[in-house]
């Protein structure tokens, strides 16, 4: 997908539109190779501003990508729906056309979540015993440190102990 820069320069202010699917098999994002599921649907519009010698470009991308949950390493399919408006300077472009593929790929990258999760309340993997806490409890030999009690809550802990003691005595 692309825009003809000569046609845009010949009609300043006129909005040009293009829509279609672009095959983007993978994206490189922060060292992660992200597999894209099927084609990315893109809608783009652009117009030339002669006084500034620039093209105002709007690109809207929609697609699905396969990722790994940042807590438990389960497979995640993430939907991307991102729209960006950019200013492009035709003098910086080599050739007669404004190719949209780099902008489509950039839109997909910008639409990715920084920490994908398989579900909002994912418990992750225990760093001590390796148990996937979404599927199983900590393993019997787990060496995780027992959480230290906050001394500021000691009065509350005493009240809870007293309440439990009263409830046990009342049930006798």
């Amino acid at each position: 997908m692309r825009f003809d820069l000569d046609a845009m320069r010949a009609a300043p202010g006129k909005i040009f539109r293009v829509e279609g699917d672009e095959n983007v098999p993978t994206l490189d994002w922060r060292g992660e190779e992200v597999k894209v599921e099927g084609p990315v649907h893109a809608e783009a519009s652009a117009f030339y501003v002669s006084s500034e010698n620039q093209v105002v470009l709007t690109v809207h991308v929609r697609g699905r990508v396969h990722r790994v949950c940042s807590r438990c390493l389960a497979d995640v399919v993430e939907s991307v729906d991102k729209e960006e408006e950019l200013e492009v300077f035709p003098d910086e472009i080599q050739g007669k056309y404004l190719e949209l593929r780099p902008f489509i790929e950039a839109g997909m990258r910008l639409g990715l979540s920084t920490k994908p999760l398989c579900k909002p309340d994912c418990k992750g993997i225990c760093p001590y015993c390796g148990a996937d806490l979404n599927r199983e409890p900590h393993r019997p030999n787990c060496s995780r440190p027992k959480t230290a009690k906050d001394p500021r809550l000691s009065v509350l802990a005493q009240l809870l102990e007293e309440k439990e003691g009263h409830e046990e005595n009342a049930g006798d």
Side-chain angles (χ1 to χ4, degrees), residues 66-159:
H66 291 269
R67 310 271 313 272
V68 174
C69 177
S70 63
R71 292 184 188 159
C72 73
L73 306 178
D75 290 330
V76 176
V77 176
E78 182 179 348
S79 293
V80 175
D81 189 342
K82 186 72 174 171
E83 183 173 319
E84 289 292 315
E85 185 173 298
L86 310 147
E87 296 173 353
V88 180
F89 296 94
D91 293 341
E92 298 174 4
I93 299 168
Q94 294 180 358
K96 179 180 172 175
Y97 298 101
L98 174 59
E99 296 291 340
L100 296 180
R101 184 176 177 105
F103 300 104
I104 293 168
E105 289 178 0
M108 288 294 289
R109 283 186 194 95
L110 289 170
L112 294 173
S113 60
T114 54
K115 299 249 183 214
L117 296 175
C118 59
K119 56 185 180 180
D121 61 342
C122 177
K123 295 175 185 173
I125 295 175
C126 174
Y128 299 97
C129 67
D132 181 346
L133 301 176
N134 295 309
R135 296 189 173 128
E136 62 181 309
H138 289 279
R139 295 181 181 144
N141 60 350
C142 184
S143 62
R144 73 184 184 282
K146 305 301 179 213
T147 55
K149 293 183 181 177
D150 187 336
R152 296 172 293 179
L153 299 176
S154 61
V155 174
L156 180 59
Q158 287 175 343
L159 289 172

Side-chain angles (χ1 to χ4, degrees), residues 1 18-20 41-45 58-62 100 104:
M1 292 186 352
V18 66
E19 179 178 350
H41 185 74
E43 299 170 16
S45 62
T58 303
V59 179
H60 185 184
V61 297
R62 286 188 298 275
L100 296 180
I104 293 168

